[in-house]
Amino acid sequence: MTRTARFVVTLTSAALVLTTAACADGSTPAATGGGAIDQKAPVTITVGNKPKPDKPADVAAFERNVKKFMADHPNITVKATETAWDAQTFQAQVAGGSLPTVMSISFTEPLNMIPNKQLPDITDELKLVDLTKDLNPETLKMVQDDKGRIYGVPFEAFSVGLAYNRALFKQAGLDPDKPPANWDEVRQYAKQITEKTGKAGYAQLTKDNTGGWMLTTMTYSMGGTVQSPDGKKSTFNDAPAKKALQLLKDMRWTDNTMGTNFLYNQEEARQDFAAGKIGMIMQAPDAYDMCVKNFGMKPADFGEGALPQDGGPHGTLTGGSIKMINPKSTKNEIVAALKWIKSQEFDKYTTESLAVQNAKDTIADKGFVGRPGITPLSQQTYDQYNKWREPFNNVPVQQFKGYVESTTSLKLLPEPVKKGQEVYALLDPVVQQVLTKKDADIDKLLTDAASKIDARLAR
Amino acid sequence: MAVLTRPSTAIPASRSRRSPVTWYRSGGLSSIVFALPLVLIFLYFSWGPIVRGLVLSFQKNNLVTTPEWVGMANFSYVLTDPQLPQATLNTLYFALLALIFGFPVPLFLAVFISELRKTGWLYNVFSYLPAVVPPVAAILLWKFFYDPSTSGVFNAILGWFGIGPFAWLNSPDLAMPAIVIEATWAGAGATSIIYLAALTGVRTELYEAAELDGAGIWRRVWHVTLPQIRGIILIMMLLQLIGTFQVFTEPFLFTGGGPDNATTTILLLIYRYAFINGDFGAATALSVLLALVLCVLSVAYHFMTRRWSTT
């Protein structure tokens, strides 16, 4: 071939690929498939969050549930996958179109996904399967647009408290039944723990968006906010966040009570906490499960108090999980998916025999019954549910006393409404710098972070 | 004479354009049909993603809703992102450190191993072993070595000599060098294998001649070995430069870009755009820019080193 001919061929093939790619672009369907709902038509759904094979008991229980559900609903076929939400990979999964029909995601996601049409409108289907009435209207707001349409099902909630190691408390001469109630006490206790035991008195999450997440929590507890209610501007560049960072700076550089590791994500921190290397750390009470089950912490050593406050009760950060449905699902798939969600996550709250059975199953699978938390259902329903299950409790509930009391006294403050995970990601380095650079300028750090975040929010 | 006439009749025939019929008869069509699937598959899977990335960089696209053309907005957004200068500096810093520390190590290893006649294979195995360890496992292992407390492996060893303890990954100043050390450890074996192969191509007479002239080992390496394998050295240096500009796994797993963005590289930034912010336009825009820079770098490198090149 001559040079010109070669050039022409290359150009043509490039153009060919370009057109193919451009065609592939537009062909992703957005909204739900149409048609009337037929509850008897055969339908197949894939469900995420199947436990990983390293937890055989959980897998067995999950498979049992699937089998039972399919027996109860002969027209629905359930296929399970291990797909689970992860702040780091979720967008890739959404983009790849590889999401199952149903999976759990964090409260921080739906508010970005609803305007992006990445979640289907399930308001009518929810009514059809009679699930709407069980949901707590407050948490339901997380998955509603301004017209009140519903795009997901909140089913789990947490609020942050202060996890502490009771054994280290005792060694340091502190009363393990009296966790610190305010940040001054935290600082004091941390000093005492480091002095007497040589361990980190207090530790802070800093990595993989958890740094921003916990700075937000701390800011809330000091009476501040992070984002304006409409999500258009950042609001953390003021006294409460500064106070929070100053406290961290003092504990790190003046008291030196924060140990040596300042790059913690949630799992790494729980590991060190379970290993007795950390005296106190901000954690939701579900940390108990991982610390005891995965990292072998003694149940007697785990304590959970209220989130420390600064000057009067301000509140604590709350979040949780919702069940999302794949935006590419047909109406029949949505109904089937909601039936699955109802049978797995909600029926146990309203039926005594199921609540008891669930407690028994959990114990047989070496899980935990009675570990305190908060609920996306009405408090009444939740209390009733806990009463049914009380005889089966295998968690030392009295060691969570401080936390349990705070669930009624502390206001529950939601996470930043817009681009929550992005805001957290941009706040991570702020916390990291305060903990790793002795001369960190807190005012400048916050001003810089605010301008970066405002630019992101405006995009 | 007969010998001369045959070519003289053949030349005009080959110079004139063959007619489609002769082209078809000589198997032209079947060769195209034969090659077509391969070419199409190659184009689709190798060049498809590149073109798709290029298209994406001009769009606002979350891959679910209909994409929207935004012109150069993604490019201006990533170029004005306040995180870009730091990520660029970090990437350059990593490339520089890897060049200073990481580049000579495999070369030294290869020369060293090739000098050992009997036990060379053993050192060969040892130096290649890190390349067999899966990167994620290796990094988790090194994280353990870099434990910042006094009981951490490195700190404990250094402690015997009264040095440290160091914060390693927890220090904005030490984090990047620490990552380079691990990356060198992980990459040296594979690179030194390539150098070793090149070394076997150096003619032994050259060494003998040098030895007769009274050259010691260092002079032999400097005057014979290195000039003889300079072609490979130059290529490996370019490959390493391109590789270091795309460093991702190590900072992602070691530090997540911290502390205080000290190890946030360009690729990590791209990753965050795409998979944390769901902003595929910005991610591909920055990728395209990085690819352009690397193209320019490669061309410039080619011209700068042409004088020394053997090819």
Side-chain angles (χ1 to χ4, degrees):
Chain A
M1 252 195 281
T2 64
R3 195 169 277 193
T4 344
R6 227 179 299 162
F7 181 66
V8 169
V9 167
T10 324
L11 211 67
T12 329
S13 45
L16 202 83
V17 176
L18 201 79
T19 13
T20 335
C23 290
D25 254 359
S27 59
T28 31
T32 51
I37 297 164
D38 179 0
Q39 293 201 55
K40 297 231 166 63
V43 56
T44 303
I45 55 170
T46 45
V47 299
N49 304 94
K50 182 182 175 181
K52 300 259 157 58
D54 59 341
K55 294 174 187 140
D58 293 357
V59 174
F62 188 87
E63 277 166 357
R64 214 165 47 233
N65 290 344
V66 170
K67 209 176 254 174
K68 182 168 184 304
F69 178 80
M70 288 187 1
D72 295 345
H73 305 84
N75 66 318
I76 303 176
T77 312
V78 175
K79 287 187 183 149
T81 75
E82 288 169 10
T83 314
W85 179 82
D86 175 346
Q88 300 274 322
T89 54
F90 181 61
Q91 281 297 335
Q93 292 172 336
V94 175
S98 58
L99 291 177
T101 320
V102 192
M103 71 181 272
S104 313
I105 59 174
S106 159
F107 271 19
T108 50
E109 299 288 355
L111 288 152
N112 305 323
M113 296 174 73
I114 294 168
N116 282 343
K117 299 201 166 44
Q118 289 172 326
L119 289 175
D121 180 345
I122 55 169
T123 321
D124 302 331
E125 291 81 359
L126 264 178
K127 282 208 187 89
L128 192 77
V129 299
D130 196 24
L131 201 55
T132 323
K133 64 169 175 34
D134 291 333
L135 299 168
N136 182 340
E138 282 303 310
T139 41
L140 202 55
K141 279 182 192 154
M142 306 291 295
V143 291
Q144 280 175 312
D145 64 8
D146 38 14
K147 292 190 198 79
R149 307 293 292 179
I150 302 167
Y151 294 84
V153 189
F155 74 99
E156 237 174 39
F158 71 82
S159 70
V160 181
L162 187 80
Y164 61 98
N165 187 315
R166 296 170 58 92
L168 287 180
F169 262 54
K170 272 180 228 158
Q171 282 175 42
L174 294 162
D175 181 352
D177 292 324
K178 287 211 176 83
N182 58 53
W183 286 107
D184 291 338
E185 280 178 15
V186 171
R187 188 173 173 186
Q188 193 48 49
Y189 287 20
K191 262 191 213 166
Q192 212 163 321
I193 292 170
T194 304
E195 213 169 278
K196 295 267 168 63
T197 67
K199 310 287 185 196
Y202 175 84
Q204 181 93 356
L205 299 180
T206 55
K207 212 172 82 173
D208 300 344
N209 302 8
T210 62
W213 183 42
M214 283 298 130
L215 179 62
T216 302
T217 308
M218 247 179 133
T219 305
Y220 286 176
S221 74
M222 305 251 176
T225 56
V226 164
Q227 206 174 59
S228 60
D230 60 3
K232 284 191 177 138
K233 282 211 79 70
S234 65
T235 54
F236 57 77
N237 190 7
D238 57 4
K242 277 176 199 167
K243 204 165 181 184
L245 289 172
Q246 188 60 46
L247 175 69
L248 289 177
K249 195 174 175 178
D250 291 343
M251 287 203 281
R252 164 70 179 97
W253 298 104
T254 313
D255 305 350
N256 197 11
T257 53
M258 290 185 64
T260 49
N261 194 347
F262 309 104
L263 286 178
Y264 273 130
N265 64 23
Q266 174 123 299
E267 199 171 326
E268 291 161 348
R270 285 177 176 180
Q271 202 168 346
D272 277 4
F273 179 73
K277 293 182 186 170
I278 295 171
M280 298 175 281
I281 184 166
M282 283 189 283
Q283 282 285 315
D286 66 323
Y288 178 87
D289 302 17
M290 198 191 263
C291 287
V292 173
K293 199 171 175 179
N294 302 41
F295 300 134
M297 188 174 186
K298 270 195 236 139
D301 291 347
F302 190 99
E304 176 91 11
L307 182 74
Q309 302 287 310
D310 181 74
H314 297 294
T316 180
L317 178 136
T318 178
S321 306
I322 72 161
K323 287 285 180 191
M324 75 161 276
I325 293 176
N326 192 323
K328 291 173 185 168
S329 309
T330 63
K331 285 205 157 47
N332 283 343
E333 283 168 0
I334 293 179
V335 171
L338 289 175
K339 282 181 180 164
W340 164 259
I341 296 170
K342 186 167 189 273
S343 75
Q344 299 306 305
E345 306 294 343
F346 290 93
D347 284 350
K348 64 181 179 195
Y349 290 107
T350 48
T351 319
E352 183 172 359
S353 59
L354 286 178
V356 170
Q357 186 57 45
N358 176 274
K360 284 180 181 163
D361 287 349
T362 310
I363 290 172
D365 295 331
K366 301 193 171 60
F368 301 109
V369 176
R371 194 251 304 137
I374 55 171
T375 173
L377 302 119
S378 69
Q379 192 60 42
Q380 215 177 346
T381 318
Y382 191 60
D383 289 345
Q384 176 62 61
Y385 167 73
N386 282 331
K387 192 157 266 163
W388 286 332
R389 289 157 56 98
E390 215 173 310
F392 302 95
N393 279 359
N394 62 357
V395 169
V397 180
Q398 67 290 348
Q399 289 167 212
F400 291 72
K401 193 162 158 270
Y403 172 80
V404 173
E405 282 164 3
S406 78
T407 54
T408 47
S409 65
L410 285 184
K411 237 199 307 185
L412 296 177
L413 305 166
E415 298 180 76
V417 292
K418 200 173 161 201
K419 301 194 178 180
Q421 295 296 337
E422 280 184 57
V423 171
Y424 290 162
L426 286 166
L427 286 174
D428 272 4
V430 173
V431 185
Q432 288 172 7
Q433 188 173 136
V434 167
L435 294 180
T436 57
K437 242 173 141 177
K438 198 167 184 177
D439 54 356
D441 179 350
I442 292 173
D443 288 346
K444 189 175 174 309
L445 278 175
L446 282 177
T447 312
D448 287 355
S451 79
K452 278 181 199 167
I453 288 173
D454 285 341
R456 262 319 145 74
L457 292 176
R459 180 163 161 87
Chain B
M1 201 53 203
V3 180
L4 280 176
T5 47
R6 215 181 295 159
S8 66
T9 51
I11 287 165
S14 74
R15 278 206 180 141
S16 73
R17 290 205 167 265
R18 283 192 293 181
S19 71
V21 179
T22 43
W23 173 77
Y24 175 76
R25 282 204 185 127
S26 63
L29 183 67
S30 53
S31 62
I32 285 199
V33 169
F34 187 70
L36 201 63
L38 192 71
V39 172
L40 283 183
I41 287 171
F42 176 77
L43 280 178
Y44 189 78
F45 288 103
S46 254
W47 283 87
I50 296 177
V51 175
R52 180 80 203 273
L54 210 60
V55 171
L56 266 175
S57 66
F58 293 99
Q59 286 178 335
K60 185 180 176 184
N61 192 338
N62 60 14
L63 300 173
V64 175
T65 46
T66 355
E68 189 186 314
W69 293 94
V70 293
M72 301 301 284
N74 289 325
F75 289 92
S76 60
Y77 171 71
V78 296
L79 285 175
T80 51
D81 188 330
Q83 292 186 88
L84 184 65
Q86 184 167 21
T88 313
L89 286 178
N90 288 339
T91 310
L92 290 173
Y93 184 46
F94 179 86
L96 182 78
L97 285 178
L99 207 61
I100 296 173
F101 299 111
F103 187 69
V105 171
L107 196 57
F108 173 79
L109 268 178
V111 172
F112 173 73
I113 291 170
S114 74
E115 289 292 325
L116 297 165
R117 301 274 148 78
K118 282 194 182 140
T119 47
W121 64 272
L122 185 68
Y123 290 92
N124 220 337
V125 168
F126 280 148
S127 70
Y128 193 70
L129 215 52
V132 186
V133 181
V136 176
I139 288 169
L140 290 179
L141 197 71
W142 275 72
K143 239 178 163 169
F144 185 63
F145 295 165
Y146 282 137
D147 187 327
S149 64
T150 42
S151 55
V153 176
F154 285 159
N155 278 342
I157 295 173
L158 291 173
W160 298 337
F161 306 99
I163 310 169
F166 293 108
W168 299 116
L169 301 166
N170 280 283
S171 146
D173 303 322
L174 277 181
M176 195 61 103
I179 288 178
V180 171
I181 293 174
E182 192 276 343
T184 305
W185 168 84
T191 317
S192 65
I193 290 280
I194 296 175
Y195 285 133
L196 267 175
L199 284 174
T200 58
V202 181
R203 296 208 311 276
T204 45
E205 302 95 82
L206 295 173
Y207 289 115
E208 283 162 17
E211 226 163 314
L212 285 176
D213 288 341
I217 178 155
W218 294 115
R219 297 188 64 182
R220 265 179 289 157
V221 168
W222 183 252
H223 291 292
V224 179
T225 315
L226 294 184
Q228 284 291 310
I229 61 167
R230 66 184 186 279
I232 294 288
I233 293 180
L234 289 176
I235 288 183
M236 294 312 290
M237 190 182 267
L238 179 64
L239 289 181
Q240 185 187 321
L241 268 179
I242 293 178
T244 48
F245 271 86
Q246 298 180 349
V247 60
F248 173 74
T249 322
E250 288 82 6
F252 178 67
L253 287 171
F254 266 129
T255 57
D260 183 28
N261 281 331
T263 54
T264 301
T265 58
I266 292 186
L267 235 69
L268 207 57
L269 202 58
I270 293 174
Y271 172 85
R272 282 190 196 152
Y273 282 143
F275 300 124
I276 296 198
N277 309 350
D279 193 342
F280 294 92
T284 44
L286 190 53
S287 310
V288 167
L289 290 174
L290 178 66
L292 280 179
V293 169
L294 288 180
C295 282
V296 171
L297 180 84
S298 307
V299 172
Y301 183 86
H302 171 73
F303 281 106
M304 274 174 355
T305 59
R306 200 160 47 165
R307 207 161 60 84
W308 306 306
S309 177
T310 47
T311 47

